[in-house]
Amino acid sequence: MRAEPAVLVLGGPLSLPLEEPVLVFALALAVFLVAPLLIKRLGQPGIVGIVLFGVAIGPGALGLLDESEAIVLLGEVGLVYLLFTVGLEIDLRGFLKAPENAALFGLTSFFVPLVVGVGAGYYVLGLSEWAALLLAAVFASHTLLAYPIANRLDITDNRAVTAVFGGILFTDTLALVVLAIVIGAIDGGLTLALFVDIAVSLAILFASVLLVVPPIARWFFQNLSDESYYEFLFVVVALFAAASLAEVLDISGILGAFVAGLALNRQIPRGGTLMNRVEFVGNAFFIPFFLLYVGILVNPAVIFDGLRTLEVAGVVVVVMLATKAVAAWIVATIQGYDRNELGVIFGLSTGQAAAALAITLIGYEAGLFGDHVLNAVVLMLLVTAVVSPWLTERFGTRLALDADVDPGGEDALDPRILLPLSTDADRRRRLLELAFVLKDRYGTEPVHLLTVVPPRSGKTETRVAEVERDLENAAEFGGAAEIPVEVETRVNHNVASGIVRGSVETRADTIVIGWDASRTFGRRIFGSTIDQVLRRTTVPVVVSRLGHPINTTQKLYVVVPPGLDHHEGFYEAVHTVKRLAIQLGTPMTVLVVEGSPRQYERLFGLVEQELTAEFDEVDSWGSLLPELSTRTGSDDLIIVMSPREGSVGWHSELGELPGRLVELPPESFITIYPREDEPEYDATFLKIE
């Protein structure tokens, strides 16, 4: 009998492969740390390093790890998590704006490989009809192995990249449908009942997840999220519940995870704390385990396992790469994509792992594929694990550099925000989330938290120390979102004076301030403090009353008073509104009071950031509140674009509007006061033709 290899350690010989859970876990984490650092020195993406290290320590090489239950479990969990983040990060607004783009890419990327793959499998490799069809499904599917690269380069909003992300819904769904048809035909024949069963399962999955998860998520985030880690746990539960439902319905769990990501897409705003937690846990833990698992599956010895394996591997790799390239070229030609966009969609669509592994292993277990086909497909995984990230990194970098706006490079996208907090603010977290949404996710400018402490005889120093501790606790929330936060305290008899002074000293571009309607209702517009800040500053001021977490917002309704387009800070205010809508991923309706909707639609279109919105006219101020009352719900957000009192576009009705909005169904509304006296700065927000 052949003895297991052993390694001599201090405590005695240690058998290979490693089975001790702590040792396996420690080795895996060491790979996650070292592999990307080393491979990046060679100019390759970090995820390739994890795959290659997986090959090196796997059973086909050093034999340190094998396909143990723990590795398989964590690998499959990482795969499910990866598909969830793809659905979560997809530009759903862009997808819904042009779903035909995703459909075009998905169907082309599926049927071109399918047709060629069937022919190659049947005529070149000599497979049976069903085996050739199943192998073609492997060619037709794709896994977004290089998604972390696209996310890091911040090109996920690009039209071509969005089409690829949306297209996976078509390619992998259809590939898994082919799998179900082939296995069903082998087990019980190709019958009408088989097709009906598959269609019903897909309908149940999509309907259950897309209709049930979003309202539950909104309710949870509004009522049961006092501790932010509960939100993350809820997301994970929803993710794996959807994946489990898919498997119960005899559909791959990765499809359920992708649909769960779509369902929660609008509930988790980009740049927020929750999104940061989801990405951090995925990129640091779950997804690397999937990549390691892919590497462990690869056996380098298959290259020398006779000519048949090399023949099959050559056909599989060439057909897959060639058909994906042809499909990408067809789509790019029809859509008018440039060379870099073509390279990115080709790179993203060549990644193979998820559906390819599932289909191949199931076909192998069903007796349709022999060892040569299995080894060839596994070898293809290694090839695509190198090719897909390399292509995506190469062309994605060029695409990011060619973008009109350099992320984080301008104050317009990375404003310095001053957030005054009262000493008894009970909704600090919601104000912080609003400030984070207004920031660029890659920005470096901090959010300044400020509390003004009125002096009291003998107690001022103690009170300042207490306030600073409270602000530091609030700043930790910013750290969780990877947004730089600095705390400021001022001692001043007049709170408004302290805020104004703080805005000057921090060189704030925007002041975000909360309003408690129940306390200051009836004092001019908002109350003495906020009104004084408005009179004594010229920077934009965002006054908010947030009755629900901003990430649960369903729709935005923007109120534009007559004549506002002549205000010198109009375009910057429009930019802020569009940024909120894009970050939240919600539909937006602009209500133009006593003005021309077509004119404002044109003016909104002149401002940077593409956004489709609905523009409607409100014939008078008297009709505004009834119109809002009819249209809005409790989870909607009303935004009023209002000049300061006495400025261009000011109307007396604006002074009474905040108090009246309190009575409407939406629990939240924001008033944006544009910048004063800097018309040249306003022009920087216009598109450069």
Side-chain angles (χ1 to χ4, degrees):
M1 178 179 292
R2 181 174 177 267
E4 291 185 350
V7 177
L8 186 63
V9 295
L10 291 179
L14 184 65
S15 61
L16 296 179
L18 300 177
E19 295 181 355
E20 290 293 328
V22 175
L23 290 177
V24 171
F25 196 72
L27 178 60
L29 293 182
V31 168
F32 302 162
L33 173 64
V34 175
L37 295 176
L38 292 180
I39 202 68
K40 285 182 178 179
R41 291 182 175 272
L42 301 176
Q44 297 297 318
I47 61 176
V48 174
I50 299 177
V51 175
L52 294 179
F53 264 65
V55 175
I57 66 176
L62 297 178
L64 297 179
L65 296 179
D66 65 358
E67 298 172 47
S68 64
E69 292 184 1
I71 293 295
V72 172
L73 171 63
L74 291 172
E76 292 180 352
V77 167
L79 174 58
V80 170
Y81 200 96
L82 172 63
L83 267 293
F84 169 72
T85 58
V86 171
L88 192 64
E89 285 278 0
I90 190 173
D91 180 11
L92 200 56
R93 177 185 293 276
F95 172 72
L96 295 176
K97 178 182 177 182
E100 65 277 6
N101 294 342
L104 174 64
F105 176 83
L107 296 177
T108 304
S109 187
F110 176 79
F111 283 108
V112 171
L114 185 74
V115 173
V116 177
V118 170
Y122 186 76
Y123 292 105
V124 179
L125 299 179
L127 301 176
S128 66
E129 294 90 342
W130 290 120
L133 179 60
L134 197 58
L135 185 60
V138 173
F139 299 153
S141 68
H142 70 265
T143 297
L144 295 171
L145 279 175
Y147 165 76
I149 297 173
N151 187 38
R152 172 172 53 81
L153 295 174
D154 196 30
I155 58 174
T156 55
D157 289 341
N158 178 270
R159 56 175 183 164
V161 177
T162 299
V164 178
F165 288 174
I168 196 175
L169 181 63
F170 295 90
T171 58
D172 283 16
T173 300
L174 291 172
L176 294 172
V177 168
V178 170
L179 171 64
I181 291 174
V182 171
I183 298 301
I186 292 174
D187 292 339
L190 197 63
T191 64
L192 178 62
L194 174 63
F195 289 96
V196 172
D197 182 60
I198 294 173
V200 170
S201 296
L202 290 173
I204 293 175
L205 175 64
F206 277 82
S208 300
V209 177
L210 294 179
L211 296 179
V212 174
V213 172
I216 294 178
R218 286 194 297 272
W219 178 86
F220 186 92
F221 293 154
Q222 290 175 2
N223 298 282
L224 298 176
S225 58
D226 293 334
E227 297 291 343
S228 57
Y229 60 83
Y230 288 152
E231 294 180 342
F232 175 76
L233 291 176
F234 172 84
V235 169
V236 174
V237 169
L239 151 64
F240 288 101
S244 300
L245 174 62
E247 295 193 348
V248 169
L249 295 170
D250 287 330
I251 305 173
S252 176
I254 60 176
L255 183 58
F258 181 75
V259 177
L262 294 177
L264 291 171
N265 185 285
R266 290 182 173 176
Q267 312 301 322
I268 306 178
R270 299 182 183 183
T273 305
L274 182 55
M275 177 64 84
N276 177 261
R277 285 194 170 97
V278 171
E279 291 180 341
F280 174 80
V281 172
N283 294 334
F285 187 77
F286 286 127
I287 296 176
F289 262 111
F290 162 64
L291 298 172
L292 180 68
Y293 175 54
V294 171
I296 289 175
L297 286 178
V298 176
N299 183 0
V302 302
I303 299 176
F304 310 103
D305 189 19
L307 294 178
R308 178 58 177 171
T309 296
L310 293 177
E311 176 190 359
V312 176
V315 172
V316 168
V317 171
V318 170
V319 170
M320 190 279 299
L321 291 176
T323 54
K324 290 295 184 182
V326 170
W329 177 81
I330 292 173
V331 173
T333 301
I334 295 174
Q335 297 292 84
Y337 295 157
D338 62 30
R339 184 171 180 269
N340 292 329
E341 289 173 321
L342 169 60
V344 169
I345 64 175
F346 175 45
L348 287 171
S349 62
T350 54
Q352 296 288 345
L357 270 179
I359 294 170
T360 304
L361 292 176
I362 293 173
Y364 180 78
E365 293 170 356
L368 289 170
F369 297 151
D371 291 336
H372 295 301
V373 174
L374 176 63
N375 289 341
V377 171
V378 172
L379 183 60
M380 180 193 70
L381 300 183
L382 178 59
V383 173
T384 61
V386 176
V387 172
S388 177
W390 181 80
L391 288 171
T392 305
E393 181 89 30
R394 178 183 177 87
F395 291 99
T397 301
R398 296 176 182 177
L399 188 61
L401 293 175
D402 289 343
D404 292 335
V405 179
D406 181 18
E410 298 290 342
D411 289 345
L413 289 178
D414 187 21
R416 290 182 292 272
I417 294 178
L418 178 68
L419 179 57
L421 297 173
S422 65
T423 55
D424 58 348
D426 57 354
R427 291 181 176 174
R428 289 182 173 181
R429 183 178 171 188
R430 295 179 183 177
L431 286 172
L432 283 166
E433 286 283 11
L434 173 60
F436 297 162
V437 169
L438 292 173
K439 291 278 294 179
D440 180 70
R441 64 189 303 186
Y442 298 105
T444 58
E445 293 291 346
V447 174
H448 295 269
L449 305 184
L450 170 68
T451 294
V452 180
V453 180
R456 296 180 182 177
S457 177
K459 298 182 179 180
T460 301
E461 292 185 2
T462 302
R463 186 57 180 149
V464 168
E466 294 174 352
V467 166
E468 288 179 343
R469 284 195 298 271
D470 290 341
L471 289 178
E472 290 293 344
N473 292 333
E476 292 179 1
F477 186 69
E482 294 189 350
I483 299 289
V485 175
E486 295 184 3
V487 298
E488 313 279 345
T489 56
R490 297 290 184 274
V491 178
N492 200 308
H493 288 281
N494 187 298
V495 174
S497 296
I499 295 174
V500 173
R501 178 183 172 188
S503 70
V504 174
E505 294 176 350
T506 60
R507 297 184 298 118
D509 297 304
T510 302
I511 299 175
V512 177
I513 192 166
W515 178 47
D516 188 339
S518 63
R519 253 202 334 256
T520 59
F521 178 75
R523 300 186 189 173
R524 292 183 62 81
I525 302 177
F526 296 103
S528 60
T529 298
I530 299 179
D531 289 344
Q532 287 182 58
V533 171
L534 290 172
R535 288 196 300 268
R536 298 166 61 181
T537 59
T538 59
V539 298
V541 177
V542 178
V543 181
S544 62
R545 178 181 184 266
L546 299 177
H548 68 269
I550 196 166
N551 61 298
T552 64
T553 300
Q554 288 293 287
K555 295 181 181 178
L556 290 184
Y557 289 90
V558 182
V559 177
V560 180
L564 185 66
D565 55 319
H566 297 291
H567 193 282
E568 53 204 357
F570 171 71
Y571 292 117
E572 181 182 8
V574 170
H575 182 273
T576 301
V577 170
K578 294 176 74 171
R579 184 166 187 78
L580 273 172
I582 291 172
Q583 292 287 82
L584 297 176
T586 55
M588 185 174 80
T589 299
V590 180
L591 300 178
V592 182
V593 181
E594 299 177 0
S596 169
R598 293 185 62 182
Q599 175 189 357
Y600 278 95
E601 183 174 6
R602 181 182 64 83
L603 294 175
F604 269 62
L606 296 176
V607 178
E608 285 285 1
Q609 302 194 73
E610 295 296 329
L611 175 68
T612 300
E614 179 182 348
F615 289 78
D616 295 329
E617 180 183 2
V618 178
D619 55 13
S620 67
W621 284 104
S623 303
L624 177 62
L625 290 177
E627 185 76 17
L628 288 171
S629 180
T630 302
R631 293 187 178 220
T632 58
S634 59
D635 291 330
D636 296 335
L637 176 64
I638 298 174
I639 300 177
V640 180
M641 299 175 65
S642 171
R644 289 166 168 83
E645 185 173 0
S647 298
V648 175
W650 169 260
H651 295 267
S652 59
E653 289 82 356
L654 291 169
E656 302 175 0
L657 189 57
R660 294 181 177 179
L661 290 178
V662 175
E663 304 169 3
L664 295 182
E667 299 179 358
S668 303
F669 61 85
I670 292 172
T671 304
I672 298 178
Y673 291 89
R675 185 184 303 270
E676 302 276 350
D677 302 330
E678 293 187 55
E680 296 83 4
Y681 185 78
D682 199 47
T684 63
F685 294 88
L686 297 176
K687 294 178 181 177
I688 301 176
E689 299 296 340

